[in-house]
Amino acid sequence: MPHISSQEKPSTVNRLSPARLATSLFATSFATRPSVAVSAPGRVNLIGEHTDYNGGPVLPVAISRRTAVAAQAADRWVFVSATDDVVHEVDIEAPMRQEWIDYLVGVVRELRALRAAPPGAKIAVATNLPIGAGLSSSAALTVSAAKAVSLLAGKRLSPAALAEVAFRAEYHQVGVRCGRMDQTIAAHGERGSALLFETATGTLHPVPLPGRLWIMETGVSHRLTGGALNDRRRECEEALAFCREWRPGLSHLAQLRKEDLPEVGRRLPPPLVPRVRHVVTETGRTRRAAEVLAAGDLASLGRLLVEGHESLRLDYESTIPEADLLVESAVEHGAYGARLTGAGWGGAVVLLAPAEREARIVAEVGSAFQQRFGRMPVTWSTRASRGVRRETIAE
Ligand code: GLA
C-alpha cells in the first residue's frame, strides 16, 4: 500500500480536488478504476447553534471544501482513506470500532435497510476538510458515501433521502446525538446561498449569500461521539420534560418565547435555565439573521453573530477561550461579526468582514491570537457552494 498521509503528500497531489484524489487513491489501492465518484461539502453554520435538536431554525452554508468517495461494487466491503494508509476489510455487522470507518458502516447498514446497497463495495475516501474543526467532515462523508453506495445499487435517492440515510447512520449507528442540520446542508446546499432550515417543519429557504466567509480554526479539536454535545442534548430533554409540566402541549424547546423565560426561571432547576434561554434567544436571532441577510444588511447580521457567540459563551457554555479571543478581536478590528460555529468545545470561528478590509482584519485577528496562544490560527476563506454531487471520473 502506498502511504498517502496528508503531511507527506507532495504539493502537486495536495492541489488535486478531493474527487481526483479519491479516484487516484482508489486506482492505486485496488488496481482498477472506480465506477462512481461523488463529493459532498463541509458546512459552516452562520447561526442557529444547538437549535436543530430543539426544533428551531438553523442557517448553514455549504463550503467549498469537500469529501469525495470513489467506489465500485464488489462481493465484500473494503475501505481506504487518504488520511490513513490502511486498507480495511470490514464486517458490516461487527461492533463499531470508534473510527472513521464507523460512519461508512453506518451508511451501509442504513442503505441495506432500504435495499439500496450492493452486496459489497471497494471505497476510497479523500477530503480537504479539516477533521474535528467543527465543519462537519462527518456529514460530508456520510452524505457522499450514501450517494455513491446507493448509485452502485442502481438507486437514485433524492437529496432528502440521502440526508435521512446520513442522519440515521450518525445518530442510530455511530451514536452521535446530533440534529439534522449537517446532513441537510451537505445534501441540499446551493451555490451562492445560505439555507434557512426550519427543523420542526423541514422547510428549506435559500438566502443569497454573496461574498466570502472567513474561517479561523482554533486548533482545538473536538470529538463529538460520547462528548459534551450528548450531555447538552440530555439537558435539553430534561428541560423540555420540566416545561411540559406547565405547558403540556409543548413539543420542543424552540416553541417557547422570550416572554416564557421568567416562568422557565421559576420552574426549572437553575443549571437548565441558561440552556433554555440560549435555545429561545438563538431561535429569534436565527430567523432575524435570515431576514437581514436577505436584505443585504451584513452589519446587522454581524451583530447577531456576535450576540449568538455571547449566548454560547454564557448560556450554553460551549465556547473555548481561543474562540472567545478570535471573536473579541474580530469585533475590535472592524469585522461585521464572528462566532464559534458548529458544536463547539473546539473547532472554528466564522468571520464576516467588509470585503475591502477583510484581509487586513483577519491578519490583525491572527496576530492577536498568536500573541495570546503562541501560534497562528489556520485561516482560509470560502464561498457558499453546492451540496452533494456526482463527479466525473477523470482519465
Ligand atoms: C453538531 C451537530 C448538529 C448541531 C450542531 C450544533 O454539528 O451535528 O446537528 O446540533 O452540532 O448546532
Side-chain angles (χ1 to χ4, degrees):
M1 252 313 294
H3 184 92
I4 312 186
S5 85
S6 47
Q7 290 80 31
E8 291 174 30
K9 267 174 271 164
S11 57
T12 46
V13 175
N14 263 334
R15 279 199 290 273
L16 289 180
S17 70
R20 290 195 70 143
L21 201 50
T23 303
S24 81
L25 176 66
F26 188 99
T28 48
S29 306
F30 303 124
T32 174
R33 296 187 63 69
S35 49
V36 156
V38 169
S39 76
R43 64 100 187 90
V44 59
N45 188 20
L46 264 185
I47 194 161
E49 218 66 84
H50 299 287
T51 44
D52 65 347
Y53 52 87
N54 286 304
V58 291
L59 190 61
V61 178
I63 60 178
S64 46
R65 297 207 183 182
R66 306 176 75 87
T67 294
V69 167
Q72 188 187 79
D75 53 5
R76 58 213 164 90
W77 295 96
V78 190
F79 305 147
V80 63
S81 143
T83 46
D84 69 20
D85 58 357
V86 185
V87 174
H88 304 263
E89 182 159 351
V90 178
D91 174 359
I92 296 296
E93 301 311 329
M96 291 300 196
R97 315 165 174 217
Q98 311 292 312
E99 284 182 51
W100 67 272
I101 289 176
D102 294 350
Y103 290 89
L104 291 183
V105 169
V107 166
V108 172
R109 287 184 185 168
E110 290 297 331
L111 287 174
R112 274 187 175 174
L114 300 175
R115 300 183 179 283
K122 294 173 177 155
I123 293 178
V125 177
T127 189
N128 57 10
L129 276 162
I131 312 292
L135 301 171
S136 197
S137 53
S138 58
L141 175 60
T142 50
V143 170
S144 53
K147 185 168 174 86
V149 173
S150 55
L151 283 171
L152 292 179
K155 307 277 184 193
R156 282 177 174 275
L157 301 186
S158 66
L162 293 172
E164 187 62 18
V165 166
F167 168 75
R168 293 184 58 86
E170 292 195 47
Y171 189 93
H172 295 287
Q173 306 294 342
V174 181
V176 181
R177 306 219 52 215
C178 56
R180 285 183 160 76
M181 165 170 70
D182 303 346
Q183 302 79 14
T184 301
I185 186 69
H188 291 271
E190 287 184 20
R191 202 160 165 227
S193 289
L195 198 66
L196 178 67
F197 170 31
E198 286 286 353
T199 62
T201 56
T203 53
L204 301 173
H205 295 288
V207 185
L209 175 69
R212 293 197 284 188
L213 295 171
W214 287 86
I215 309 294
M216 299 190 83
E217 298 181 26
T218 63
V220 180
S221 172
H222 71 144
R223 265 188 77 84
L224 286 186
T225 353
L229 177 61
N230 291 2
D231 295 342
R232 281 294 180 280
R233 183 151 184 175
R234 207 170 307 120
E235 289 180 322
C236 288
E237 281 161 8
E238 269 178 55
L240 181 61
F242 275 109
C243 292
R244 277 182 177 149
E245 287 171 10
W246 54 281
R247 292 280 294 274
L250 198 71
S251 57
H252 44 252
L253 289 180
Q255 274 176 324
L256 292 170
R257 299 166 154 267
K258 276 201 182 135
E259 303 81 83
D260 297 319
L261 289 176
E263 191 66 23
V264 167
R266 282 190 287 276
R267 289 181 177 261
L268 267 63
L272 298 182
V273 174
R275 311 296 189 239
V276 177
R277 188 161 57 224
H278 169 75
V279 173
V280 171
T281 57
E282 184 80 346
T283 292
R285 277 188 293 273
T286 306
R287 293 190 180 128
R288 179 86 192 115
E291 283 166 16
V292 297
L293 176 59
D297 180 359
L298 296 182
S300 297
L301 178 62
R303 280 193 291 275
L304 290 164
L305 298 194
V306 176
E307 282 173 28
H309 183 85
E310 281 307 283
S311 180
L312 291 174
R313 186 171 74 83
L314 298 170
D315 283 348
Y316 220 68
E317 295 180 277
S318 56
T319 74
I320 53 168
E322 287 83 349
D324 297 341
L325 178 117
L326 289 172
V327 172
E328 206 179 289
S329 170
V331 172
E332 196 182 307
H333 288 103
Y336 289 131
R339 61 179 283 282
L340 180 62
T341 186
W345 300 283
V349 159
V350 54
L351 184 151
L352 192 65
E356 63 288 359
R357 279 184 286 140
E358 59 188 6
R360 186 177 56 73
I361 291 170
V362 292
E364 279 166 351
V365 174
S367 348
F369 186 94
Q370 186 176 33
Q371 266 177 21
R372 168 92 176 272
F373 296 105
R375 59 191 165 83
M376 281 302 270
V378 174
T379 301
W380 41 280
S381 68
T382 185
R383 289 176 190 274
S385 340
R386 263 193 68 180
V388 66
R389 64 170 180 238
R390 190 167 182 172
E391 301 276 355
T392 47
I393 296 171
E395 284 311 311

